[in-house]
Amino acid sequence: MYCQSILDRITAGSREILGENLVGVYLHGSLAMGCFQPRKSDIDLLVVVEGPIPQEQKLDFMELVASLNQEAPEKGIEMSVVRREHCLHFVYPTPFDLHFSPAHLDRFRRDPRGYLRDMQGTDPDLAAHFTITRRYGIPLWGEPVEKVFGPVPKADYLDSIWQDVAGAADEVAENPVYVILNLCRVAAYLEEDAVLSKKQGGEWGMRALPAAWHPLIARALHSYATGEPMEPDIAAAQAFCSEMLGRIQARMD
């Protein structure tokens, strides 16, 4: 598997640092779904624990993750530490004990203990991450997925993915590939109850959406597959977002 060395070391480090508190380390996202693109994808991980983590263990764990992030592909590692009770008996928005992504790296380096103090709370994105994990997740170590992650209510998953696309028209110029493919997979969920990757969402769009949008979706899929930049006609991309958001909202009402 791509990034296997990083996955092996983060798993071994999790076991060493978290000890008996560790329930498991679970890979989700594009690597688990077979559509990882080194220039477009991050390494998505959920680390599940039984109970609270002492601050010194948190610090050691974050140092491990931040160090391995330097070796990761361009978008880095995105990781959340969550408790088994909230995985098995789902709560929304979902509590987390620790989170990391490259966007937070400078903050951690400037003030590690302040970061640990503040980086806990709730995250609506975890509803989507748990849903993907239940469908596609790979246990790198620990108990089977089905024994750790309980069902996520459809209403919570829908709210989570809606929050991710609600600002699509404003965001598509800056991040067209993500926005276009994400809109397709949200529509696929609402129309066919399909939980898809971004790549699968784009492929669904090529089958299910009007032919007028196929060239735009095809360019997004090509960019996602190759890592080449996409420079769409912004007016056309925003028109696509407007139509898709209307289509999604009509299904949500």
Side-chain angles (χ1 to χ4, degrees):
M1 182 186 293
Y2 194 90
C3 305
Q4 189 64 58
S5 175
I6 293 173
L7 298 178
D8 289 344
R9 284 180 287 162
I10 202 167
T11 300
S14 298
R15 294 180 66 185
E16 179 180 352
I17 294 166
L18 300 175
E20 293 183 358
N21 195 20
L22 181 66
V23 173
V25 180
Y26 301 89
L27 181 69
H28 66 100
S30 56
L31 260 177
M33 301 169 87
C35 55
F36 186 85
Q37 210 297 323
R39 293 172 62 185
K40 297 287 186 182
S41 305
D42 43 26
I43 299 173
D44 296 298
L45 295 165
L46 292 170
V47 177
V48 182
V49 294
E50 289 285 2
I53 308 170
Q55 288 296 96
E56 292 305 315
Q57 284 188 3
K58 277 189 177 183
L59 184 59
D60 290 345
F61 184 71
M62 275 297 304
E63 290 288 0
L64 168 71
V65 175
S67 173
L68 290 175
N69 185 72
Q70 296 177 356
E71 303 177 34
E74 188 173 330
K75 289 195 68 177
I77 296 169
E78 181 166 354
M79 177 277 311
S80 293
V81 178
V82 291
R83 298 191 196 182
R84 181 210 284 266
E85 62 181 302
H86 301 135
C87 299
L88 196 57
H89 307 291
F90 186 73
V91 176
Y92 187 77
T94 311
F96 66 94
D97 282 33
L98 188 61
H99 177 76
F100 174 82
S101 75
H104 301 298
L105 180 59
D106 288 344
R107 182 181 171 199
F108 171 68
R109 290 301 188 201
R110 286 195 307 269
D111 182 12
R113 294 188 182 277
Y115 180 94
L116 296 179
R117 182 186 62 246
D118 297 338
M119 189 55 71
Q120 54 189 316
T122 61
D123 182 2
D125 286 349
L126 287 168
H129 298 336
F130 285 14
T131 300
I132 294 293
T133 301
R134 276 176 55 84
R135 186 71 61 93
Y136 300 100
I138 299 172
L140 302 178
W141 182 86
E143 298 186 27
V145 167
E146 62 271 16
K147 290 190 175 182
V148 177
F149 294 90
V152 175
K154 286 188 175 183
D156 295 337
Y157 177 61
L158 181 56
D159 186 71
S160 176
I161 59 177
W162 167 250
Q163 290 192 41
D164 203 30
V165 299
D170 296 326
E171 298 165 7
V172 70
E174 183 176 345
N175 199 357
V177 175
Y178 181 87
V179 170
I180 290 165
L181 299 183
N182 214 27
L183 283 167
C184 291
R185 68 174 173 176
V186 172
Y189 176 72
L190 281 164
E191 297 184 20
E192 298 185 11
D193 200 31
V195 177
L196 305 177
S197 67
K198 288 189 286 293
K199 177 177 180 289
Q200 291 168 332
E203 291 167 347
W204 175 89
M206 294 292 288
R207 297 191 305 270
L209 296 178
W213 300 122
H214 290 184
L216 184 70
I217 298 168
R219 289 178 64 194
L221 282 168
H222 176 77
S223 177
Y224 188 83
T226 63
E228 296 174 5
M230 178 183 179
E231 298 180 3
D233 179 309
I234 299 303
Q238 289 177 333
F240 172 77
C241 292
S242 177
E243 180 170 317
M244 291 300 294
L245 289 170
R247 184 172 179 140
I248 289 167
Q249 287 179 304
R251 291 276 180 170
M252 291 174 63
D253 292 341

